[in-house]
Amino acid sequence: MRYQVEFLPVALAQLRALPRDARRLIGGKIDRLQDDLAADVKKLRGFKNKYRLRAGNYRVLFELEGGTIVVYDVGDRKDIYE
């Protein structure tokens, strides 16, 4: 199954604030994520449809809503879960 990806405005601003090499890494991971969640993905404990994608030292937090991946947070791994 191929998923559609949507970014919330806040997540898009966070992504644009990252260095260029981090944006490229995250973009490549998100491309692979669209194909049957084929990436380093884990379900977040305590939430029903929330997941995280690991991309080096960065994390992309997203929700699954049917056939859509909704990215709601992007940032450094040490700050993202606060």
Side-chain angles (χ1 to χ4, degrees):
M1 174 179 188
R2 181 120 172 117
Y3 291 91
Q4 294 287 90
V5 176
E6 292 180 8
F7 286 86
L8 293 182
V10 124
L12 202 53
Q14 291 169 335
L15 185 62
R16 287 182 178 148
L18 296 177
R20 180 179 293 170
D21 59 335
R23 289 193 311 256
R24 285 186 184 155
L25 174 66
I26 291 170
K29 295 275 187 169
I30 288 175
D31 282 343
R32 280 184 257 142
L33 178 69
Q34 287 181 297
D35 296 323
D36 294 327
L37 301 178
D40 190 357
V41 174
K42 284 193 179 177
K43 187 175 184 319
L44 295 178
R45 278 190 269 164
F47 298 100
K48 187 172 182 171
N49 290 329
K50 293 189 178 189
Y51 298 83
R52 71 102 173 118
L53 167 67
R54 193 175 90 179
N57 285 334
Y58 296 95
R59 301 294 182 264
V60 178
L61 302 182
F62 64 93
E63 293 182 8
L64 279 180
E65 295 180 0
T68 305
I69 296 169
V70 180
V71 177
Y72 64 89
D73 209 356
V74 178
D76 194 285
R77 67 184 176 93
K78 63 184 173 194
D79 301 325
I80 196 78
Y81 300 109
E82 294 177 359

